[in-house]
Amino acid sequence: MRHKIFLKILVDALMSALFLLALAHHGTDNLAHEIIGALLGALFIVHNILNWAWYKNLFRGPYTLYRGVWTVINLFLLAAMGGMFISGVLISRDVFDFLPVSGGWTARRWHTAAAYWGFILAGVHLGLHGSMITGWLGRRLGKWGQWAFALFMLCLVLYGVKASFVWHIGSKLVLRRAFSSWEGVSLCSFIWDHFAIWCLYAAVSYYVSSGLFGWLGKKASSKKNKKESSAC
């Protein structure tokens, strides 16, 4: 069991690193970009195999609001990643050039939009696992370490807000822009900016889900206790 958990964490970490590198396509040549994308696709398949139990239980058991939201986000993430990989194959000039398919400018725009939707939804997906991550950190950092980490994350999230506007994330999501200027930008700074954007959406997802669903859970528990008290 521990080996499977370690493998899941390793696959997710590699996927995250490859995703950031894949987004930085202007910082690499086209062949490297396509190889990174192909590796990301292979790891995405492995990720789904390792989490196959989620698919098996999709139509089992009751659906709470939390489970419903979680399921919708996962399905949209699956669609975005699928769209990214399919459009990537269509516009491939190196790795999948042997296939009798092709795509033009429209496919490139859809590829960018799908990639950024997948990127944002992956951050939201991570945020929904936030309680597990914060619990693990809390057991290891101690009180002051937790405060230092929280301050670091606050600064990173605020920077992520700025970086979202610098890199026109909103315009890319709605197909209004396919590329951003790389003038004076290094590969490392691009990756750092997009890591901050990713953390922004993960943090928003974590705090919204914790606050909203925590409040709904307490409200439901309070109603249940009142009904039990009146029955007595």
Side-chain angles (χ1 to χ4, degrees):
M1 188 64 180
R2 287 185 177 180
H3 293 297
K4 187 175 181 180
I5 292 172
F6 174 77
L7 182 58
K8 284 184 176 182
I9 294 171
L10 178 62
V11 168
D12 290 350
L14 289 173
M15 282 179 61
S16 301
L18 287 174
F19 211 146
L20 289 169
L21 281 171
L23 289 175
H25 54 93
H26 285 295
T28 60
D29 61 32
N30 188 71
L31 177 60
H33 173 69
E34 291 191 18
I35 291 173
I36 291 167
L39 290 173
L40 177 59
L43 285 175
F44 184 70
I45 292 171
V46 173
H47 171 86
N48 280 274
I49 292 171
L50 291 172
N51 292 279
W52 190 250
W54 182 80
Y55 291 96
K56 289 196 298 183
N57 296 319
L58 198 57
F59 299 104
R60 297 176 183 173
Y63 266 79
T64 61
L65 178 61
Y66 181 78
R67 187 185 178 193
V69 171
W70 179 285
T71 301
V72 169
I73 288 171
N74 282 346
L75 291 175
F76 272 110
L77 175 57
L78 183 65
M81 297 296 284
M84 179 180 72
F85 294 132
I86 291 170
S87 59
V89 170
L90 290 175
I91 63 175
S92 174
R93 300 198 307 269
D94 292 299
V95 174
F96 299 103
D97 189 46
F98 63 93
L99 294 174
V101 293
S102 63
W105 178 245
T106 300
R108 290 180 182 279
R109 293 183 67 182
W110 277 105
H111 183 64
T112 300
Y116 274 92
W117 272 111
F119 171 67
I120 297 303
L121 289 170
V124 174
H125 178 84
L126 176 66
L128 293 174
H129 287 285
S131 57
M132 181 178 67
I133 298 169
T134 54
W136 183 85
L137 289 171
R139 292 191 296 272
R140 286 160 177 79
L141 293 179
K143 181 180 178 180
W144 292 109
Q146 290 180 56
W147 276 105
F149 178 76
L151 180 61
F152 168 74
M153 286 303 299
L154 176 62
C155 294
L156 189 61
V157 164
L158 292 175
Y159 182 77
V161 174
K162 175 192 172 186
S164 295
F165 288 99
V166 170
W167 291 102
H168 311 100
I169 300 300
S171 296
K172 289 172 181 174
L173 292 175
V174 296
L175 297 171
R176 290 182 59 190
R177 180 185 287 264
F179 305 108
S180 296
S181 173
W182 270 68
E183 186 176 354
V185 178
S186 68
L187 179 62
C188 289
S189 63
F190 176 94
I191 290 174
W192 174 251
D193 284 1
H194 282 71
F195 176 69
I197 296 168
W198 201 49
C199 288
L200 163 66
Y201 284 92
V204 170
S205 169
Y206 169 65
Y207 285 110
V208 169
S209 62
S210 298
L212 177 61
F213 295 118
W215 176 75
L216 288 173
K218 288 180 181 178
K219 191 174 180 181
S221 179
S222 177
K223 285 184 178 180
K224 184 179 179 182
N225 290 335
K226 284 182 179 178
K227 284 182 179 180
E228 289 176 352
S229 298
S230 63
C232 294

